[in-house]
PDB file of all heavy atoms in Angstrom:
ATOM      1  N   GLY A 115     108.100  87.450 130.108  1.00  0.00           N
ATOM      2  CA  GLY A 115     106.883  86.681 130.078  1.00  0.00           C
ATOM      3  C   GLY A 115     106.881  85.463 131.061  1.00  0.00           C
ATOM      4  O   GLY A 115     105.853  84.843 131.205  1.00  0.00           O
ATOM      5  N   ALA A 116     108.009  85.244 131.704  1.00  0.00           N
ATOM      6  CA  ALA A 116     108.059  84.157 132.658  1.00  0.00           C
ATOM      7  C   ALA A 116     107.258  84.474 133.926  1.00  0.00           C
ATOM      8  O   ALA A 116     107.006  85.610 134.256  1.00  0.00           O
ATOM      9  CB  ALA A 116     109.496  83.800 133.027  1.00  0.00           C
ATOM     10  N   VAL A 117     106.846  83.442 134.592  1.00  0.00           N
ATOM     11  CA  VAL A 117     106.133  83.501 135.857  1.00  0.00           C
ATOM     12  C   VAL A 117     107.079  82.972 136.930  1.00  0.00           C
ATOM     13  O   VAL A 117     107.807  81.999 136.717  1.00  0.00           O
ATOM     14  CB  VAL A 117     104.853  82.695 135.854  1.00  0.00           C
ATOM     15  CG1 VAL A 117     104.194  82.566 137.227  1.00  0.00           C
ATOM     16  CG2 VAL A 117     103.851  83.233 134.832  1.00  0.00           C
ATOM     17  N   HIS A 118     107.119  83.611 138.089  1.00  0.00           N
ATOM     18  CA  HIS A 118     108.008  83.158 139.135  1.00  0.00           C
ATOM     19  C   HIS A 118     107.280  82.288 140.149  1.00  0.00           C
ATOM     20  O   HIS A 118     106.290  82.739 140.756  1.00  0.00           O
ATOM     21  CB  HIS A 118     108.591  84.428 139.854  1.00  0.00           C
ATOM     22  CG  HIS A 118     109.562  84.075 140.909  1.00  0.00           C
ATOM     23  ND1 HIS A 118     109.360  84.438 142.233  1.00  0.00           N
ATOM     24  CD2 HIS A 118     110.732  83.385 140.874  1.00  0.00           C
ATOM     25  CE1 HIS A 118     110.389  83.994 142.920  1.00  0.00           C
ATOM     26  NE2 HIS A 118     111.234  83.368 142.152  1.00  0.00           N
ATOM     27  N   ILE A 119     107.799  81.111 140.313  1.00  0.00           N
ATOM     28  CA  ILE A 119     107.383  80.247 141.451  1.00  0.00           C
ATOM     29  C   ILE A 119     108.685  79.626 141.922  1.00  0.00           C
ATOM     30  O   ILE A 119     109.217  78.673 141.329  1.00  0.00           O
ATOM     31  CB  ILE A 119     106.370  79.129 141.047  1.00  0.00           C
ATOM     32  CG1 ILE A 119     105.203  79.706 140.324  1.00  0.00           C
ATOM     33  CG2 ILE A 119     105.972  78.350 142.279  1.00  0.00           C
ATOM     34  CD1 ILE A 119     104.199  78.619 139.819  1.00  0.00           C
ATOM     35  N   GLY A 120     109.263  80.172 142.990  1.00  0.00           N
ATOM     36  CA  GLY A 120     110.534  79.741 143.497  1.00  0.00           C
ATOM     37  C   GLY A 120     110.541  78.240 143.808  1.00  0.00           C
ATOM     38  O   GLY A 120     109.564  77.635 144.162  1.00  0.00           O
ATOM     39  N   ARG A 121     111.729  77.695 143.637  1.00  0.00           N
ATOM     40  CA  ARG A 121     111.921  76.251 143.889  1.00  0.00           C
ATOM     41  C   ARG A 121     111.446  75.793 145.261  1.00  0.00           C
ATOM     42  O   ARG A 121     110.903  74.752 145.407  1.00  0.00           O
ATOM     43  CB  ARG A 121     113.435  75.946 143.719  1.00  0.00           C
ATOM     44  CG  ARG A 121     113.857  74.532 144.011  1.00  0.00           C
ATOM     45  CD  ARG A 121     113.458  73.591 142.866  1.00  0.00           C
ATOM     46  NE  ARG A 121     113.772  72.249 143.271  1.00  0.00           N
ATOM     47  CZ  ARG A 121     112.896  71.416 143.797  1.00  0.00           C
ATOM     48  NH1 ARG A 121     111.635  71.786 144.023  1.00  0.00           N
ATOM     49  NH2 ARG A 121     113.234  70.185 144.138  1.00  0.00           N
ATOM     50  N   GLY A 122     111.590  76.654 146.250  1.00  0.00           N
ATOM     51  CA  GLY A 122     111.186  76.302 147.575  1.00  0.00           C
ATOM     52  C   GLY A 122     109.708  76.206 147.806  1.00  0.00           C
ATOM     53  O   GLY A 122     109.234  75.576 148.772  1.00  0.00           O
ATOM     54  N   VAL A 123     108.892  76.787 146.892  1.00  0.00           N
ATOM     55  CA  VAL A 123     107.462  76.701 147.048  1.00  0.00           C
ATOM     56  C   VAL A 123     106.765  76.106 145.820  1.00  0.00           C
ATOM     57  O   VAL A 123     105.539  76.099 145.746  1.00  0.00           O
ATOM     58  CB  VAL A 123     106.859  78.128 147.335  1.00  0.00           C
ATOM     59  CG1 VAL A 123     107.345  78.648 148.674  1.00  0.00           C
ATOM     60  CG2 VAL A 123     107.114  79.111 146.217  1.00  0.00           C
ATOM     61  N   LEU A 124     107.518  75.669 144.860  1.00  0.00           N
ATOM     62  CA  LEU A 124     106.948  75.143 143.606  1.00  0.00           C
ATOM     63  C   LEU A 124     105.914  74.088 143.822  1.00  0.00           C
ATOM     64  O   LEU A 124     104.780  74.172 143.334  1.00  0.00           O
ATOM     65  CB  LEU A 124     108.058  74.685 142.659  1.00  0.00           C
ATOM     66  CG  LEU A 124     107.597  74.105 141.316  1.00  0.00           C
ATOM     67  CD1 LEU A 124     107.006  75.265 140.475  1.00  0.00           C
ATOM     68  CD2 LEU A 124     108.765  73.417 140.609  1.00  0.00           C
ATOM     69  N   GLU A 125     106.263  73.070 144.554  1.00  0.00           N
ATOM     70  CA  GLU A 125     105.298  71.963 144.744  1.00  0.00           C
ATOM     71  C   GLU A 125     104.076  72.373 145.474  1.00  0.00           C
ATOM     72  O   GLU A 125     103.003  71.875 145.211  1.00  0.00           O
ATOM     73  CB  GLU A 125     106.020  70.795 145.494  1.00  0.00           C
ATOM     74  CG  GLU A 125     107.129  70.105 144.682  1.00  0.00           C
ATOM     75  CD  GLU A 125     108.484  70.825 144.750  1.00  0.00           C
ATOM     76  OE1 GLU A 125     108.586  71.929 145.401  1.00  0.00           O
ATOM     77  OE2 GLU A 125     109.447  70.295 144.174  1.00  0.00           O
ATOM     78  N   ARG A 126     104.192  73.336 146.341  1.00  0.00           N
ATOM     79  CA  ARG A 126     103.060  73.870 147.117  1.00  0.00           C
ATOM     80  C   ARG A 126     102.127  74.691 146.201  1.00  0.00           C
ATOM     81  O   ARG A 126     100.903  74.605 146.304  1.00  0.00           O
ATOM     82  CB  ARG A 126     103.549  74.742 148.290  1.00  0.00           C
ATOM     83  CG  ARG A 126     102.413  75.294 149.124  1.00  0.00           C
ATOM     84  CD  ARG A 126     102.875  76.318 150.062  1.00  0.00           C
ATOM     85  NE  ARG A 126     103.128  77.608 149.314  1.00  0.00           N
ATOM     86  CZ  ARG A 126     103.758  78.622 149.812  1.00  0.00           C
ATOM     87  NH1 ARG A 126     104.275  78.579 151.021  1.00  0.00           N
ATOM     88  NH2 ARG A 126     103.976  79.729 149.064  1.00  0.00           N
ATOM     89  N   ASP A 127     102.724  75.477 145.261  1.00  0.00           N
ATOM     90  CA  ASP A 127     101.945  76.485 144.522  1.00  0.00           C
ATOM     91  C   ASP A 127     101.601  76.129 143.100  1.00  0.00           C
ATOM     92  O   ASP A 127     100.798  76.829 142.469  1.00  0.00           O
ATOM     93  CB  ASP A 127     102.723  77.802 144.547  1.00  0.00           C
ATOM     94  CG  ASP A 127     102.806  78.411 145.940  1.00  0.00           C
ATOM     95  OD1 ASP A 127     102.140  77.900 146.878  1.00  0.00           O
ATOM     96  OD2 ASP A 127     103.580  79.395 146.112  1.00  0.00           O
ATOM     97  N   ILE A 128     102.244  75.105 142.561  1.00  0.00           N
ATOM     98  CA  ILE A 128     102.091  74.831 141.118  1.00  0.00           C
ATOM     99  C   ILE A 128     100.636  74.524 140.713  1.00  0.00           C
ATOM    100  O   ILE A 128     100.157  74.945 139.677  1.00  0.00           O
ATOM    101  CB  ILE A 128     103.018  73.696 140.665  1.00  0.00           C
ATOM    102  CG1 ILE A 128     103.050  73.587 139.115  1.00  0.00           C
ATOM    103  CG2 ILE A 128     102.649  72.360 141.286  1.00  0.00           C
ATOM    104  CD1 ILE A 128     103.567  74.770 138.411  1.00  0.00           C
ATOM    105  N   GLU A 129      99.901  73.792 141.544  1.00  0.00           N
ATOM    106  CA  GLU A 129      98.497  73.421 141.186  1.00  0.00           C
ATOM    107  C   GLU A 129      97.612  74.599 141.057  1.00  0.00           C
ATOM    108  O   GLU A 129      96.665  74.603 140.241  1.00  0.00           O
ATOM    109  CB  GLU A 129      97.985  72.340 142.120  1.00  0.00           C
ATOM    110  CG  GLU A 129      98.720  71.022 141.935  1.00  0.00           C
ATOM    111  CD  GLU A 129      98.339  69.963 142.924  1.00  0.00           C
ATOM    112  OE1 GLU A 129      98.261  70.292 144.134  1.00  0.00           O
ATOM    113  OE2 GLU A 129      98.126  68.820 142.528  1.00  0.00           O
ATOM    114  N   ALA A 130      97.847  75.642 141.823  1.00  0.00           N
ATOM    115  CA  ALA A 130      97.067  76.910 141.697  1.00  0.00           C
ATOM    116  C   ALA A 130      97.429  77.637 140.425  1.00  0.00           C
ATOM    117  O   ALA A 130      96.586  78.174 139.729  1.00  0.00           O
ATOM    118  CB  ALA A 130      97.214  77.765 142.907  1.00  0.00           C
ATOM    119  N   ALA A 131      98.737  77.652 140.091  1.00  0.00           N
ATOM    120  CA  ALA A 131      99.203  78.358 138.934  1.00  0.00           C
ATOM    121  C   ALA A 131      98.944  77.591 137.643  1.00  0.00           C
ATOM    122  O   ALA A 131      98.606  78.235 136.614  1.00  0.00           O
ATOM    123  CB  ALA A 131     100.703  78.653 139.056  1.00  0.00           C
ATOM    124  N   VAL A 132      99.052  76.293 137.677  1.00  0.00           N
ATOM    125  CA  VAL A 132      98.846  75.445 136.462  1.00  0.00           C
ATOM    126  C   VAL A 132      97.979  74.261 136.885  1.00  0.00           C
ATOM    127  O   VAL A 132      98.475  73.154 137.181  1.00  0.00           O
ATOM    128  CB  VAL A 132     100.200  74.950 135.898  1.00  0.00           C
ATOM    129  CG1 VAL A 132      99.980  74.165 134.590  1.00  0.00           C
ATOM    130  CG2 VAL A 132     101.141  76.136 135.628  1.00  0.00           C
ATOM    131  N   PRO A 133      96.663  74.493 136.939  1.00  0.00           N
ATOM    132  CA  PRO A 133      95.801  73.403 137.436  1.00  0.00           C
ATOM    133  C   PRO A 133      95.679  72.187 136.442  1.00  0.00           C
ATOM    134  O   PRO A 133      95.502  71.051 136.878  1.00  0.00           O
ATOM    135  CB  PRO A 133      94.416  74.063 137.608  1.00  0.00           C
ATOM    136  CG  PRO A 133      94.496  75.359 136.916  1.00  0.00           C
ATOM    137  CD  PRO A 133      95.914  75.724 136.726  1.00  0.00           C
ATOM    138  N   ASP A 134      95.844  72.425 135.154  1.00  0.00           N
ATOM    139  CA  ASP A 134      95.737  71.338 134.178  1.00  0.00           C
ATOM    140  C   ASP A 134      97.096  70.658 134.073  1.00  0.00           C
ATOM    141  O   ASP A 134      98.037  71.186 133.540  1.00  0.00           O
ATOM    142  CB  ASP A 134      95.314  71.915 132.846  1.00  0.00           C
ATOM    143  CG  ASP A 134      95.227  70.852 131.758  1.00  0.00           C
ATOM    144  OD1 ASP A 134      95.447  69.650 132.048  1.00  0.00           O
ATOM    145  OD2 ASP A 134      94.878  71.230 130.610  1.00  0.00           O
ATOM    146  N   LYS A 135      97.159  69.438 134.610  1.00  0.00           N
ATOM    147  CA  LYS A 135      98.442  68.730 134.669  1.00  0.00           C
ATOM    148  C   LYS A 135      98.927  68.224 133.310  1.00  0.00           C
ATOM    149  O   LYS A 135     100.031  67.707 133.148  1.00  0.00           O
ATOM    150  CB  LYS A 135      98.335  67.600 135.644  1.00  0.00           C
ATOM    151  CG  LYS A 135      98.200  68.080 137.071  1.00  0.00           C
ATOM    152  CD  LYS A 135      98.238  67.022 138.092  1.00  0.00           C
ATOM    153  CE  LYS A 135      98.152  67.649 139.488  1.00  0.00           C
ATOM    154  NZ  LYS A 135      98.305  66.671 140.541  1.00  0.00           N
ATOM    155  N   LYS A 136      98.091  68.445 132.271  1.00  0.00           N
ATOM    156  CA  LYS A 136      98.518  68.123 130.883  1.00  0.00           C
ATOM    157  C   LYS A 136      99.098  69.314 130.176  1.00  0.00           C
ATOM    158  O   LYS A 136      99.608  69.157 129.050  1.00  0.00           O
ATOM    159  CB  LYS A 136      97.314  67.541 130.092  1.00  0.00           C
ATOM    160  CG  LYS A 136      96.842  66.206 130.637  1.00  0.00           C
ATOM    161  CD  LYS A 136      95.660  65.693 129.832  1.00  0.00           C
ATOM    162  CE  LYS A 136      95.130  64.398 130.514  1.00  0.00           C
ATOM    163  NZ  LYS A 136      93.859  64.029 129.944  1.00  0.00           N
ATOM    164  N   SER A 137      98.962  70.508 130.761  1.00  0.00           N
ATOM    165  CA  SER A 137      99.512  71.747 130.155  1.00  0.00           C
ATOM    166  C   SER A 137     101.016  71.614 130.063  1.00  0.00           C
ATOM    167  O   SER A 137     101.684  71.013 130.873  1.00  0.00           O
ATOM    168  CB  SER A 137      99.203  72.928 131.046  1.00  0.00           C
ATOM    169  OG  SER A 137      97.871  73.194 131.062  1.00  0.00           O
ATOM    170  N   GLU A 138     101.546  72.284 128.991  1.00  0.00           N
ATOM    171  CA  GLU A 138     102.979  72.270 128.864  1.00  0.00           C
ATOM    172  C   GLU A 138     103.615  73.265 129.840  1.00  0.00           C
ATOM    173  O   GLU A 138     103.213  74.438 129.927  1.00  0.00           O
ATOM    174  CB  GLU A 138     103.419  72.661 127.438  1.00  0.00           C
ATOM    175  CG  GLU A 138     104.947  72.593 127.268  1.00  0.00           C
ATOM    176  CD  GLU A 138     105.405  72.828 125.869  1.00  0.00           C
ATOM    177  OE1 GLU A 138     104.599  73.213 125.002  1.00  0.00           O
ATOM    178  OE2 GLU A 138     106.648  72.656 125.676  1.00  0.00           O
ATOM    179  N   VAL A 139     104.629  72.794 130.570  1.00  0.00           N
ATOM    180  CA  VAL A 139     105.350  73.571 131.515  1.00  0.00           C
ATOM    181  C   VAL A 139     106.835  73.502 131.230  1.00  0.00           C
ATOM    182  O   VAL A 139     107.394  72.402 131.097  1.00  0.00           O
ATOM    183  CB  VAL A 139     105.092  73.084 132.995  1.00  0.00           C
ATOM    184  CG1 VAL A 139     105.939  73.883 133.971  1.00  0.00           C
ATOM    185  CG2 VAL A 139     103.632  73.161 133.303  1.00  0.00           C
ATOM    186  N   VAL A 140     107.505  74.647 131.058  1.00  0.00           N
ATOM    187  CA  VAL A 140     108.948  74.658 130.868  1.00  0.00           C
ATOM    188  C   VAL A 140     109.531  75.412 132.065  1.00  0.00           C
ATOM    189  O   VAL A 140     109.139  76.541 132.367  1.00  0.00           O
ATOM    190  CB  VAL A 140     109.377  75.413 129.549  1.00  0.00           C
ATOM    191  CG1 VAL A 140     110.884  75.507 129.458  1.00  0.00           C
ATOM    192  CG2 VAL A 140     108.777  74.670 128.369  1.00  0.00           C
ATOM    193  N   LEU A 141     110.406  74.742 132.769  1.00  0.00           N
ATOM    194  CA  LEU A 141     111.049  75.330 133.974  1.00  0.00           C
ATOM    195  C   LEU A 141     112.426  75.779 133.635  1.00  0.00           C
ATOM    196  O   LEU A 141     113.148  75.199 132.826  1.00  0.00           O
ATOM    197  CB  LEU A 141     111.094  74.291 135.075  1.00  0.00           C
ATOM    198  CG  LEU A 141     109.836  73.574 135.481  1.00  0.00           C
ATOM    199  CD1 LEU A 141     110.124  72.453 136.419  1.00  0.00           C
ATOM    200  CD2 LEU A 141     108.874  74.611 136.056  1.00  0.00           C
ATOM    201  N   TYR A 142     112.917  76.861 134.276  1.00  0.00           N
ATOM    202  CA  TYR A 142     114.280  77.244 134.198  1.00  0.00           C
ATOM    203  C   TYR A 142     114.756  77.794 135.532  1.00  0.00           C
ATOM    204  O   TYR A 142     113.990  78.265 136.345  1.00  0.00           O
ATOM    205  CB  TYR A 142     114.552  78.238 133.072  1.00  0.00           C
ATOM    206  CG  TYR A 142     114.093  79.675 133.288  1.00  0.00           C
ATOM    207  CD1 TYR A 142     114.980  80.615 133.844  1.00  0.00           C
ATOM    208  CD2 TYR A 142     112.840  80.096 132.965  1.00  0.00           C
ATOM    209  CE1 TYR A 142     114.562  81.914 134.051  1.00  0.00           C
ATOM    210  CE2 TYR A 142     112.422  81.397 133.123  1.00  0.00           C
ATOM    211  CZ  TYR A 142     113.302  82.327 133.730  1.00  0.00           C
ATOM    212  OH  TYR A 142     112.894  83.613 133.949  1.00  0.00           O
ATOM    213  N   CYS A 143     116.062  77.745 135.736  1.00  0.00           N
ATOM    214  CA  CYS A 143     116.704  78.269 136.919  1.00  0.00           C
ATOM    215  C   CYS A 143     117.965  79.036 136.460  1.00  0.00           C
ATOM    216  O   CYS A 143     118.022  79.475 135.311  1.00  0.00           O
ATOM    217  CB  CYS A 143     117.065  77.170 137.948  1.00  0.00           C
ATOM    218  SG  CYS A 143     118.183  75.910 137.313  1.00  0.00           S
ATOM    219  N   GLY A 144     118.960  79.107 137.257  1.00  0.00           N
ATOM    220  CA  GLY A 144     120.183  79.829 136.860  1.00  0.00           C
ATOM    221  C   GLY A 144     121.008  79.086 135.810  1.00  0.00           C
ATOM    222  O   GLY A 144     121.545  79.667 134.907  1.00  0.00           O
ATOM    223  N   GLY A 145     121.117  77.750 135.958  1.00  0.00           N
ATOM    224  CA  GLY A 145     121.957  76.987 135.079  1.00  0.00           C
ATOM    225  C   GLY A 145     121.380  75.677 134.571  1.00  0.00           C
ATOM    226  O   GLY A 145     122.038  74.957 133.810  1.00  0.00           O
ATOM    227  N   GLY A 146     120.171  75.370 134.981  1.00  0.00           N
ATOM    228  CA  GLY A 146     119.489  74.120 134.526  1.00  0.00           C
ATOM    229  C   GLY A 146     119.557  72.964 135.490  1.00  0.00           C
ATOM    230  O   GLY A 146     119.057  71.876 135.208  1.00  0.00           O
ATOM    231  N   PHE A 147     120.154  73.160 136.634  1.00  0.00           N
ATOM    232  CA  PHE A 147     120.249  72.082 137.664  1.00  0.00           C
ATOM    233  C   PHE A 147     118.997  72.021 138.532  1.00  0.00           C
ATOM    234  O   PHE A 147     118.375  70.958 138.641  1.00  0.00           O
ATOM    235  CB  PHE A 147     121.478  72.311 138.559  1.00  0.00           C
ATOM    236  CG  PHE A 147     122.778  72.210 137.793  1.00  0.00           C
ATOM    237  CD1 PHE A 147     123.441  73.348 137.389  1.00  0.00           C
ATOM    238  CD2 PHE A 147     123.333  70.988 137.482  1.00  0.00           C
ATOM    239  CE1 PHE A 147     124.627  73.318 136.705  1.00  0.00           C
ATOM    240  CE2 PHE A 147     124.547  70.926 136.804  1.00  0.00           C
ATOM    241  CZ  PHE A 147     125.209  72.047 136.385  1.00  0.00           C
ATOM    242  N   ARG A 148     118.646  73.157 139.182  1.00  0.00           N
ATOM    243  CA  ARG A 148     117.477  73.111 140.047  1.00  0.00           C
ATOM    244  C   ARG A 148     116.190  72.874 139.234  1.00  0.00           C
ATOM    245  O   ARG A 148     115.269  72.213 139.758  1.00  0.00           O
ATOM    246  CB  ARG A 148     117.350  74.480 140.760  1.00  0.00           C
ATOM    247  CG  ARG A 148     118.454  74.691 141.824  1.00  0.00           C
ATOM    248  CD  ARG A 148     118.430  76.081 142.354  1.00  0.00           C
ATOM    249  NE  ARG A 148     118.884  77.024 141.348  1.00  0.00           N
ATOM    250  CZ  ARG A 148     118.881  78.369 141.461  1.00  0.00           C
ATOM    251  NH1 ARG A 148     118.312  78.891 142.581  1.00  0.00           N
ATOM    252  NH2 ARG A 148     119.325  79.126 140.527  1.00  0.00           N
ATOM    253  N   SER A 149     116.143  73.372 138.020  1.00  0.00           N
ATOM    254  CA  SER A 149     114.922  73.148 137.203  1.00  0.00           C
ATOM    255  C   SER A 149     114.846  71.640 136.834  1.00  0.00           C
ATOM    256  O   SER A 149     113.683  71.187 136.673  1.00  0.00           O
ATOM    257  CB  SER A 149     114.939  74.033 135.962  1.00  0.00           C
ATOM    258  OG  SER A 149     116.078  73.794 135.157  1.00  0.00           O
ATOM    259  N   ALA A 150     115.916  70.952 136.683  1.00  0.00           N
ATOM    260  CA  ALA A 150     115.832  69.512 136.449  1.00  0.00           C
ATOM    261  C   ALA A 150     115.234  68.747 137.640  1.00  0.00           C
ATOM    262  O   ALA A 150     114.379  67.930 137.498  1.00  0.00           O
ATOM    263  CB  ALA A 150     117.230  68.953 136.127  1.00  0.00           C
ATOM    264  N   LEU A 151     115.696  69.147 138.831  1.00  0.00           N
ATOM    265  CA  LEU A 151     115.109  68.553 140.019  1.00  0.00           C
ATOM    266  C   LEU A 151     113.629  68.885 140.158  1.00  0.00           C
ATOM    267  O   LEU A 151     112.821  68.042 140.480  1.00  0.00           O
ATOM    268  CB  LEU A 151     115.847  69.064 141.298  1.00  0.00           C
ATOM    269  CG  LEU A 151     117.347  68.682 141.393  1.00  0.00           C
ATOM    270  CD1 LEU A 151     117.984  69.422 142.544  1.00  0.00           C
ATOM    271  CD2 LEU A 151     117.503  67.194 141.517  1.00  0.00           C
ATOM    272  N   ALA A 152     113.334  70.119 139.854  1.00  0.00           N
ATOM    273  CA  ALA A 152     111.917  70.582 139.920  1.00  0.00           C
ATOM    274  C   ALA A 152     111.023  69.844 138.918  1.00  0.00           C
ATOM    275  O   ALA A 152     109.887  69.441 139.251  1.00  0.00           O
ATOM    276  CB  ALA A 152     111.806  72.094 139.711  1.00  0.00           C
ATOM    277  N   ALA A 153     111.553  69.641 137.704  1.00  0.00           N
ATOM    278  CA  ALA A 153     110.808  68.917 136.707  1.00  0.00           C
ATOM    279  C   ALA A 153     110.467  67.508 137.122  1.00  0.00           C
ATOM    280  O   ALA A 153     109.376  67.001 136.925  1.00  0.00           O
ATOM    281  CB  ALA A 153     111.567  68.913 135.387  1.00  0.00           C
ATOM    282  N   GLU A 154     111.436  66.850 137.760  1.00  0.00           N
ATOM    283  CA  GLU A 154     111.171  65.493 138.202  1.00  0.00           C
ATOM    284  C   GLU A 154     110.072  65.484 139.257  1.00  0.00           C
ATOM    285  O   GLU A 154     109.155  64.630 139.194  1.00  0.00           O
ATOM    286  CB  GLU A 154     112.454  64.851 138.797  1.00  0.00           C
ATOM    287  CG  GLU A 154     112.179  63.450 139.268  1.00  0.00           C
ATOM    288  CD  GLU A 154     113.363  62.745 139.905  1.00  0.00           C
ATOM    289  OE1 GLU A 154     114.373  63.385 140.095  1.00  0.00           O
ATOM    290  OE2 GLU A 154     113.198  61.556 140.248  1.00  0.00           O
ATOM    291  N   ASN A 155     110.078  66.449 140.148  1.00  0.00           N
ATOM    292  CA  ASN A 155     109.025  66.470 141.183  1.00  0.00           C
ATOM    293  C   ASN A 155     107.668  66.797 140.581  1.00  0.00           C
ATOM    294  O   ASN A 155     106.668  66.217 141.033  1.00  0.00           O
ATOM    295  CB  ASN A 155     109.368  67.536 142.263  1.00  0.00           C
ATOM    296  CG  ASN A 155     110.164  66.895 143.382  1.00  0.00           C
ATOM    297  OD1 ASN A 155     110.421  65.714 143.417  1.00  0.00           O
ATOM    298  ND2 ASN A 155     110.617  67.747 144.297  1.00  0.00           N
ATOM    299  N   LEU A 156     107.605  67.647 139.565  1.00  0.00           N
ATOM    300  CA  LEU A 156     106.316  67.900 138.956  1.00  0.00           C
ATOM    301  C   LEU A 156     105.799  66.652 138.254  1.00  0.00           C
ATOM    302  O   LEU A 156     104.587  66.385 138.283  1.00  0.00           O
ATOM    303  CB  LEU A 156     106.384  69.073 137.951  1.00  0.00           C
ATOM    304  CG  LEU A 156     106.655  70.460 138.588  1.00  0.00           C
ATOM    305  CD1 LEU A 156     106.441  71.536 137.513  1.00  0.00           C
ATOM    306  CD2 LEU A 156     105.754  70.711 139.771  1.00  0.00           C
TER     307      LEU A 156
END
């Protein structure tokens, strides 16, 4: 059920995939490191 938006394009593509910035978003990667960096950027 997950949707793929790679770390390299996340900031570029997230607003099209999740336009409502109040929506709940849970990110994951291989071990929780890249997703932490991505969460901060979002």
Side-chain angles (χ1 to χ4, degrees):
V117 172
H118 182 240
I119 308 176
R121 176 76 186 95
V123 296
L124 179 68
E125 293 83 357
R126 182 193 74 193
D127 294 350
I128 190 65
E129 291 174 315
V132 184
D134 180 358
K135 292 185 177 185
K136 294 177 184 170
S137 294
E138 183 176 8
V139 177
V140 176
L141 306 173
Y142 75 91
C143 62
F147 296 99
R148 292 171 288 173
S149 58
L151 297 172
E154 182 182 5
N155 271 354
L156 292 190

